Amino acid sequence: MSVEKRVIKKYPNRRLYDTATSSYITLGDVKQLVLENVDIQVVDAKTQDDITRSVLLQIILEEENGGMPMFSYEVLTQFIRFYGQAMQGMMGPFLEKNLQLFGQMQQKLQEQTRALYGDKAVFNSTMWGEFMKLQGPAMQNVMSSYMEQSTGMFLEMQNRMQEQTKQLFSGFVFPGYVPPGKDDTDKS
């Protein structure tokens, strides 16, 4: 069963048109749809190209420019450096899985808070901010430990893949290739 996406058209004058409500909307409205977990697709009204990712990146850019940025200079430069690298294809799924886990952890925290304080407890962003100031270091330790374990598992997987590749190609002779540890005068 496929879920129908809400189609938003972007016109050459840069205006966004929500086909579900038959009205023009702002980038802020698109952000609100995302926050409400509405599945959206943004298409160029002229070419019908899917431009959802570029619109979402535009929302992220606006968020980064206003208030408290989420990404440091180091993170952004690392993102750029991953483009064109052999591991680029693995970076997206890796980040996606980690964001899912982080979201699950956040949801669990909210459920535990409701269990402790009941449904009537109102936790606005200021209260969550205060809570995270107290719990932030503990949360960072948990996330850091998780990332270290993930890194270890990834490196182990990479080493296994290298060994399997060596075993797979060990029977083949490639003209001009000298294996590490042998010099080209070695005839054995």
Side-chain angles (χ1 to χ4, degrees), residues 158-169:
Q158 188 178 25
N159 288 336
R160 281 191 206 154
M161 287 173 60
Q162 285 176 348
E163 287 302 315
Q164 288 174 352
T165 304
K166 283 179 189 176
Q167 289 175 1
L168 180 66
F169 290 110

Side-chain angles (χ1 to χ4, degrees), residues 18-42:
D18 186 345
T19 59
T21 61
S22 299
S23 61
Y24 286 99
I25 62 173
T26 65
L27 213 51
D29 296 325
V30 175
K31 174 187 168 188
Q32 189 58 42
L33 290 172
V34 171
L35 291 172
E36 294 170 358
N37 293 313
V38 175
D39 243 354
I40 63 166
Q41 179 182 25
V42 183

Side-chain angles (χ1 to χ4, degrees), residues 77-92:
T77 55
Q78 280 298 100
F79 281 153
I80 292 168
R81 288 180 189 125
F82 272 110
Y83 284 99
Q85 300 296 319
M87 302 301 280
Q88 177 181 342
M90 294 180 72
M91 184 64 168

Side-chain angles (χ1 to χ4, degrees), residues 52-118:
T52 307
R53 292 178 69 254
S54 65
V55 170
L56 295 175
L57 285 168
Q58 189 176 354
I59 292 169
I60 291 170
L61 180 62
E62 284 190 6
E63 289 294 316
E64 285 292 303
N65 285 332
M68 292 176 33
M70 188 181 307
F71 301 113
S72 67
Y73 170 83
E74 289 77 17
V75 169
L76 294 172
T77 55
Q78 280 298 100
F79 281 153
I80 292 168
R81 288 180 189 125
F82 272 110
Y83 284 99
Q85 300 296 319
M87 302 301 280
Q88 177 181 342
M90 294 180 72
M91 184 64 168
F94 176 78
L95 289 173
E96 190 174 328
K97 188 65 176 169
N98 281 292
L99 285 172
Q100 286 174 352
L101 291 171
F102 189 80
Q104 290 170 359
M105 188 172 66
Q106 183 181 19
Q107 184 178 5
K108 195 73 160 167
L109 244 171
Q110 290 171 345
E111 289 170 4
Q112 289 173 348
T113 302
R114 276 195 291 277
L116 283 172
Y117 300 107

